[in-house]
């Protein structure tokens, strides 16, 4: 039945005896062949295709062309090289890590498998959760470099105090986290969370200077200003006439 279906699509033509003696029968135009169309509509970078090379034949798709999956996107990579996979295996998610999107080319553009991101690329998917993408230069030992910055895949991320010591705060700086605040102009106040509780503009004040007899709270400051105001009023009444 399968041969009959193939034959129904063949275009028969008359071949002269002399021509038939020269051209092998399997290359004659009257012989039906499997359509060698590409498996994918746009096969540029990230694909393995060599017409006539059985290694690039997709048996499940019955066509030429295999998708190159990056080693980082595989659960059990055999090395650093990308692996050519058939479409059916890719659709099943066979040996593919859930953190990666194999419909997207990598940052280098030579294979498929880009780490999933969110919020404009400022968060990256690692181990079934999203972690911040840090702006370049913040992490001392980044595990992975992405388009927008760097990430730690071990779950070790700097806390508020560590960032503040470098002059950074956990603030979205466009497409990555880590906004710089000049320590001579700003004071980063940390609480129990990774985000700063307040970022204070110093206006020339030395926030780390000893308090001395300066008020340590808003109530103490208001009390001191009230006393100063009463003193100035008394002095005005004593030395200046209406």
């Amino acid at each position: 039945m399968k041969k009959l279906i193939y034959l129904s699509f063949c275009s028969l033509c008359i071949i002269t005896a002399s021509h038939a003696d020269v051209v092998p029968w399997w290359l004659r135009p009257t012989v039906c062949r499997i359509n060698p169309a590409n498996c994918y509509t746009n096969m540029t970078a990230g694909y393995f295709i060599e017409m006539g090379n059985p290694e690039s034949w997709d048996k499940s798709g019955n066509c030429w062309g295999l998708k190159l999956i990056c080693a980082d996107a595989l659960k059990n990579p055999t090395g650093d090289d990308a692996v050519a996979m058939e479409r059916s295996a890719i659709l099943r998610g066979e040996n593919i890590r859930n953190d990666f999107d194999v419909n997207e080319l990598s940052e280098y553009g030579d294979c498929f498998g880009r780490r999933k991101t969110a919020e404009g690329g400022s968060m990256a998917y690692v181990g079934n959760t999203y972690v911040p993408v840090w702006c370049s230069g913040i992490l001392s030992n980044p595990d992975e470099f992405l388009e927008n910055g760097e990430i730690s895949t071990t779950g070790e991320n700097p806390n508020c105090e560590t960032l503040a010591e470098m002059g950074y705060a956990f603030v979205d700086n466009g497409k990555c986290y880590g906004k710089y605040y000049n320590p001579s102009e700003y004071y980063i106040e940390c609480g129990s969370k990774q985000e700063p509780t307040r970022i204070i503009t110093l206006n020339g004040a030395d926030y780390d200077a000893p308090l001395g007899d300066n008020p340590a709270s808003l109530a103490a400051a208001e009390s001191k200003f009230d006393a100063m105001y009463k003193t100035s009023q008394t002095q005005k009444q004593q030395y200046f006439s209406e």
Side-chain angles (χ1 to χ4, degrees):
M1 177 61 71
K2 191 173 184 179
K3 292 183 178 179
L4 291 176
I5 294 174
Y6 284 159
L7 289 173
S8 66
F9 290 99
C10 292
S11 297
L12 299 178
C13 65
I14 299 174
I15 305 174
T16 62
S18 59
H19 184 65
D21 293 336
V22 176
V23 181
W25 67 267
W26 60 88
L27 295 179
R28 297 175 188 175
T30 54
V31 176
C32 290
R33 305 183 188 87
I34 298 175
N35 183 9
N38 298 336
C39 281
Y40 302 94
T41 56
N42 182 24
M43 300 186 67
T44 53
Y47 295 94
F48 171 56
I49 178 170
E50 291 180 5
M51 300 298 287
N53 183 352
E55 295 298 323
S56 66
W57 177 257
D58 188 333
K59 295 184 290 295
S60 64
N62 203 29
C63 54
W64 293 109
L66 299 174
K67 211 171 187 178
L68 292 170
I69 306 301
C70 303
D72 290 341
L74 298 175
K75 294 178 182 177
N76 299 300
T78 56
D80 296 330
D81 296 331
V83 176
M85 294 181 62
E86 295 187 5
R87 284 191 298 178
S88 61
I90 294 172
L91 290 174
R92 291 195 303 269
E94 184 177 305
N95 197 31
I96 295 176
R97 295 171 61 185
N98 190 44
D99 297 352
F100 288 80
D101 185 352
V102 293
N103 293 313
E104 296 287 337
L105 281 170
S106 69
E107 282 76 12
Y108 301 103
D110 55 352
C111 55
F112 283 89
R114 184 184 289 262
R115 187 174 288 280
K116 297 175 182 178
T117 59
E119 297 183 15
S122 62
M123 300 292 288
Y125 198 57
V126 178
N128 297 322
T129 188
Y130 280 97
V131 301
V133 176
W134 297 99
C135 299
S136 299
I138 293 179
L139 294 179
S140 57
N141 292 301
D143 297 318
E144 196 171 310
F145 298 90
L146 304 182
E147 182 179 1
N148 292 355
E150 307 162 349
I151 62 172
S152 169
T153 58
T154 60
E156 297 179 3
N157 288 288
N159 57 26
C160 182
E161 288 79 7
T162 302
L163 291 169
E165 289 177 1
M166 301 186 294
Y168 287 94
F170 186 69
V171 175
D172 192 342
N173 191 20
K175 293 185 177 180
C176 55
Y177 277 90
K179 189 170 182 178
Y180 180 74
Y181 291 89
N182 191 332
S184 65
E185 299 176 4
Y186 299 93
Y187 175 77
I188 301 172
E189 184 180 85
C190 295
S192 59
K193 297 183 179 180
Q194 194 174 32
E195 301 90 342
T197 53
R198 287 188 299 178
I199 298 176
I200 303 168
T201 304
L202 299 179
N203 290 328
D206 185 0
Y207 194 88
D208 294 323
L211 288 176
D213 60 349
N214 293 325
S217 65
L218 179 60
E222 290 176 346
S223 176
K224 185 169 184 176
F225 280 120
D226 287 341
M228 292 170 63
Y229 177 75
K230 291 177 180 179
T231 300
S232 66
Q233 290 293 92
T234 302
Q235 295 293 325
K236 180 181 178 182
Q237 293 174 2
Q238 182 177 352
Y239 296 103
F240 296 93
S241 59
E242 294 292 336

